[in-house]
Amino acid sequence: MTTEFSQDFFQLFGLSRRFALDSQQLEQSWRAAAAAVHPDRYASSPDAEKRMALMQATHVNEAYQTLKSPLRRGRYLLSLQGVDTQEETNTSMPLDFLMAQMEWRESIEEARDSSDVDALEALSSRLRSDKRALEAELGNALDSTADLDAAAVMVRKLRFLEKLDQEIGDAIETLLG
């Protein structure tokens, strides 16, 4: 099997171009594609074939990592529609979201400063629940209503939440480490 670099990541794995996807089907398709282009299969091949196998394996793994992550999958779907999420340049957010971010950061700081791992784990649980709800909204915006502007805002929000989740994880690791 050779991968077609002109295929989008969904085509590569035989999936519909939608935010909602079957993670088991993605995993199975990725395993089959990765096995087919694994560089070890080309160990005795000429150097050009080895390089091509490595490029294909890298492409398959990048596609898998992109589709596996809701944030990256949403960003990718928008890019296929010609929409730049402007995560680096557009930091404007709805006021209620910014207020919630401030509250999250204060709660994280308080729990970290008081070495309260239980509070951090509770915050992590709440944050993951919020992320799942936002991912569901993003899926609706992309798959049902095709509201690409709203989806771009949701991708930026999801990126903020992932950063907060990382902060909480780092704080827990520091306290337990």
Side-chain angles (χ1 to χ4, degrees):
M1 174 194 172
T2 59
T3 63
E4 291 291 328
F5 292 106
S6 62
Q7 290 180 313
D8 71 41
F9 293 166
F10 294 93
Q11 292 169 326
L12 179 64
F13 296 125
L15 301 169
S16 297
R17 193 188 280 190
R18 299 176 48 78
F19 183 80
L21 58 74
D22 180 335
S23 58
Q24 284 185 317
Q25 183 182 0
L26 172 62
E27 176 91 14
Q28 290 170 348
S29 296
W30 167 69
R31 287 188 184 283
V37 298
H38 196 281
D40 288 351
R41 295 187 58 175
Y42 298 88
S44 61
S45 299
D47 285 346
E49 285 184 38
K50 287 179 188 176
R51 279 192 299 278
M52 180 56 76
L54 183 59
M55 286 173 32
Q56 289 175 331
T58 300
H59 182 69
V60 165
N61 288 328
E62 177 188 356
Y64 175 68
Q65 292 302 321
T66 297
L67 297 185
K68 186 174 86 163
S69 160
L71 171 61
R72 292 177 66 182
R73 183 169 63 247
R75 183 185 299 135
Y76 181 68
L77 278 164
L78 286 166
S79 75
L80 291 174
Q81 297 288 327
V83 176
D84 178 359
T85 58
Q86 302 175 341
E87 293 165 67
E88 300 300 326
T89 58
N90 184 351
T91 56
S92 66
M93 288 285 174
L95 185 57
D96 61 331
F97 184 77
L98 292 174
M99 294 301 292
Q101 293 307 299
M102 289 174 48
E103 290 171 16
W104 277 107
R105 290 194 192 288
E106 287 172 10
S107 296
I108 293 167
E109 188 176 333
E110 287 172 13
R112 183 180 43 233
D113 290 349
S114 62
S115 301
D116 191 343
V117 173
D118 290 337
L120 287 167
E121 287 176 348
L123 286 168
S124 179
S125 179
R126 277 190 22 234
L127 181 66
R128 290 190 178 149
S129 176
D130 286 359
K131 279 175 47 180
R132 284 190 299 276
L134 185 56
E135 289 165 5
E137 287 181 49
L138 177 58
N140 185 56
L142 288 168
D143 294 346
S144 300
T145 63
D147 188 345
L148 303 182
D149 291 335
V153 171
M154 288 178 215
V155 164
R156 290 196 303 272
K157 286 181 177 181
L158 196 52
R159 184 168 181 224
F160 271 94
L161 295 182
E162 288 205 355
K163 285 182 179 180
L164 283 174
D165 195 27
Q166 182 66 47
E167 281 183 41
I168 294 170
D170 291 348
I172 291 171
E173 192 175 302
T174 299
L175 292 174
L176 295 177

